[in-house]
Amino acid sequence: MSLLNTPQGNQPRWRSWLLTDTPTSRNHARVASLYQGWLSFRGNSMAMFGLIILVLLVLIAIFAPLLAPHDPFVQDLANRLKPLATDGHILGTDSLGRDILSRLIYGARITLYIVILVALIAPVAGLFVGTVAGYVGGWVDTILMRITDIFLAFPRLVLALAFVAALGAGIENAVIAISLTAWPPYARIARAETLTIRNSDYISAVKLQGAGPFRIITRHIWPLCISSLIVRVTLDMAGIILAAAGLGFLGLGAQPPSPEWGAMISEGRKFILDYWWVATLPGLAIFLVSLAFNLLGDGLRDVLDPKDDGS
Amino acid sequence: MSGIILEKLNVWFDTPETRVDAVKNVSLRVEQGESVGLVGESGSGKSTILRALTGLVPTWSGAMEVAGEKLGRQRSRHFYKKVQMVFQDPYASLHPRHSVDQVLSETLRLHGFNEIDRRISNLLTDVGLGPSFRFRYPHQLSGGQRQRVAIARALAPEPEILLLDEPTSALDVSVQAEILNLLVDLRQEHHLTYLMVSHDLAVVGHMCQQIAVMQLGEIVEIMPVAEMRELKPKHSYSRHLLESSLGYKRADD
C-alpha cells in the first residue's frame, strides 16, 4: 500500500468499525452506539451551534487567567466607565474602572459553577423521588407527590428568595436554593416515565429473574428516565442561569466584588442610560449561554428520545 | 412427579369500581416433561394463569404447586430458577437500552452462575443466534431474533418448566414456524415442561400433547391433541373453536 493511500484507507476502516451492526465486544458496542448518537446529533446544526458555544464557555472558564487581559478585581478610578473599544479595554470599563471583558471571562467560571452544581443536585433528587414514587406506588407515592406539589405551588424565584434569605446570601446558598426549587418538575417527569415503564414486559421479565426493587429502579428504570431528564435539564439551564443572575441582581447571590454576570448587571443598572454597555454586555453573555443551552437541549431531545430508537 | 398443579385457582383484578374475575375455578395438571396448551379467545384468562403462576398477579386464591413446591404470595429466587416465561411480544419484552450481552449476563449473575462468557455463547448457539449477535441492541434485531433472545433469557437459569405466552403471535408467519421448531427442539434437548398459551389451534397441535380449552375464565374441556385431530371435542365451545380454525372447509360437517 502506498503512503498516499494509507490515510484514505484508514478513514473508512474506523468508520465502519464504529458503524457496524455486529459489534465484537462490550466496549465496541458502547462506543458504536455513542458514535451513532453523535452522528445524528451532528446533523442538527442549531444544536451544534449551541454545543460549540458551550465548549467555548468551558474553555474560557478553564483558561480564564491566560485569556483575561486584566485582573478582574483591580480598580482604576481614573479610567472608570470607558466606552467600548477603548485602548486596552476592548469592552470598556465599569464604574470602578475594572475591565469588563476580564470580568466576563472570570464570570464564566461562576456561571459554570452554578450550572454544574444545580445540574448535579436537582435532577438527581428529582429522579430519585420520582422513580421511587412511581415504582413503589401506594401511600409512598401519595406522600412524595404531595410534597412535590407543595414545592411546585410556589413561584420559583420567590421560593429561592425565601431560602436565600433564610440561609444567608452567597453563591453556595444560591445554588442550594435554586436546586431546592428546581427538583419537583424532574420528579414529576421521572414518575410519569416510571408509570409507563413499570408494567412493561421487560420489567416483568427481570422480576422473573428474581431482581429486587432496588436493582429494577436503578438498573432498568433510571437509564430510561435519564435521557428525558437530560433534555429537560439543558432546557432548564437557561432558567437556572437567569435565576442565579436574578438572585445576584437582587444582591442575594454572588457578593461584590465577585464578577458574577447577574451582579454585574445589577451594578451597571445605575448608569444604564448614560453608559449602556456596563449592564448590557453581561446581559448579552447570559443571553448567549442560555440560548446555547436551549439549542443543545433541543438537539439532545432528538438524539436521546428512547421512543425513537426502536424500529 | 408433576410439573404444575392448579387447584380451584381464581384470579381477579380489583379496580376502584368493580372486581373483574379473570380466572374462575380452574384446575389443571401438567405432568413433568409434558407439554400442555391453553387455548381460547382473547380475554379468556389464559395469560392471566401464567402471570399468576409467576407471581406477577398477586390477587389469587386456590392452590398452586410447581415442581413439588407449594406457592404462596412471594416467589423465591429458587422458584425462578425452575420456572421461566417467554412473553408474547418480543418488541416489548427486551429492555430498549440493554444489549443482548447485558440482558443475558444480568440474568446469569442474578441466578449466581459462574463462567458467564461461556454460558452466554452457549445460550446464543442454543437458540440459533451466532456470537455476532451478542453485543447488539434490540433495535438492531428483527422480531424473530428478539424472540430468540427472549427464549435464551428464559433458558439462562436452566429451568425445568417454561411458560410460553403466545410466543409467536407477534411474529410474521415465516418466522413463527422457525420459533416453534426451535421450541420443540429445545424441549427435547433440555427435557423441559411446557405450559403454552395460544389462540392458534394449529400451533398448539404442533407443540402440545394436551389441550385445555378456556372460555370466559373457565376451563371447559381438557383433551389430548389426538382427540382434537380426530375432530371430536365434546364441549360445544371447543367444537366452535375447532371449526373456526378449520375455516370454510368444515362448514358442511
Side-chain angles (χ1 to χ4, degrees), chain B residues 52 143 188 249:
Chain B
Q188 273 171 358
K249 280 186 288 181

Side-chain angles (χ1 to χ4, degrees), chain A residues 74-265:
Chain A
V74 167
Q75 303 179 4
D76 180 5
L77 290 177
N79 269 327
R80 63 195 293 264
L81 297 172
K82 285 275 182 269
L84 301 181
T86 309
D87 219 14
H89 301 286
I90 301 170
L91 297 183
T93 58
D94 69 2
S95 61
L96 296 172
R98 294 172 293 196
D99 182 45
I100 291 181
L101 177 63
S102 308
R103 286 178 70 73
L104 285 179
I105 289 173
Y106 275 92
R109 288 186 159 185
I110 299 174
T111 302
L112 272 180
Y113 176 72
I114 294 174
V115 159
I116 290 171
L117 273 185
V118 173
L120 284 180
I121 299 171
V124 173
L127 180 67
F128 188 78
V129 170
T131 48
V132 169
Y135 187 74
V136 177
W139 58 269
V140 175
D141 183 26
T142 313
I143 291 176
L144 288 176
M145 282 300 114
R146 290 302 81 75
I147 294 174
T148 310
D149 285 344
I150 291 170
F151 275 90
L152 275 174
F154 289 97
R156 190 187 216 175
L157 197 58
V158 173
L159 193 58
L161 273 177
F163 277 122
V164 174
L167 296 167
I171 201 146
E172 281 79 16
N173 288 343
V175 166
I176 294 172
I178 295 170
S179 306
L180 278 174
T181 57
W183 68 266
Y186 302 120
R188 279 279 182 84
I189 295 173
R191 177 174 174 271
E193 292 262 338
T194 309
L195 288 180
T196 63
I197 297 166
R198 64 179 281 199
N199 288 325
S200 63
D201 280 352
Y202 50 85
I203 298 297
S204 298
V206 71
K207 275 189 202 163
L208 293 195
Q209 311 304 341
F214 181 75
R215 172 182 283 268
I216 292 176
I217 289 177
T218 55
R219 306 281 292 271
H220 295 260
I221 293 182
W222 280 9
L224 293 176
C225 294
I226 280 173
S227 50
S228 58
L229 282 191
I230 289 177
V231 171
R232 177 72 200 237
V233 169
T234 50
L235 292 176
D236 278 357
M237 277 307 173
I240 291 167
I241 294 172
L242 292 176
L247 288 176
F249 179 79
L250 294 169
L252 292 169
Q255 295 302 302
S258 160
E260 202 265 326
W261 294 346
M264 286 170 72
I265 299 178

Side-chain angles (χ1 to χ4, degrees), chain A residues 263-284:
Chain A
M264 286 170 72
I265 299 178
S266 173
E267 283 167 30
R269 184 185 45 139
K270 289 169 253 173
F271 324 101
I272 196 157
L273 291 180
D274 299 321
Y275 309 101
W276 55 268
W277 60 90
V278 182
T280 307
L281 290 172
L284 276 177

Side-chain angles (χ1 to χ4, degrees), chain B residues 97-108:
Chain B
R97 301 242 165 217
H98 287 181
S99 66
V100 175
D101 177 67
Q102 276 169 290
V103 170
L104 295 179
S105 60
E106 183 178 26
T107 304
L108 288 166

Side-chain angles (χ1 to χ4, degrees), chain A residues 209, chain B residues 84-87 90 93-94 103-104 107 123-124 126-129 143-159 162-164 167-168 171 175-176 178-184 186-187 190 192 194 207:
Chain A
Q209 311 304 341
Chain B
Q84 278 295 318
M85 178 158 159
V86 176
F87 290 85
S93 68
L94 295 177
V103 170
L104 295 179
T107 304
L123 282 168
L124 288 177
D126 271 3
V127 297
L129 293 174
Q145 290 164 345
R146 285 174 188 231
Q147 195 61 304
R148 284 170 194 267
V149 174
I151 293 171
R153 171 177 62 192
L155 289 177
E158 302 181 342
L162 216 51
L163 306 174
L164 305 166
T168 57
L171 305 174
V175 184
Q176 279 187 12
E178 286 176 29
I179 296 289
L180 290 175
N181 289 332
L182 171 70
L183 287 168
V184 171
L186 287 172
R187 185 165 156 252
H190 298 268
L192 294 164
Y194 280 175
M207 297 276 301

Side-chain angles (χ1 to χ4, degrees), chain B residues 218-235:
Chain B
E218 288 170 283
I219 290 187
V220 295
E221 190 172 358
I222 301 178
M223 58 185 161
V225 163
E227 215 169 281
M228 183 195 77
R229 286 239 173 77
E230 288 158 29
L231 307 178
K232 35 185 199 192
K234 293 179 199 76
H235 194 276

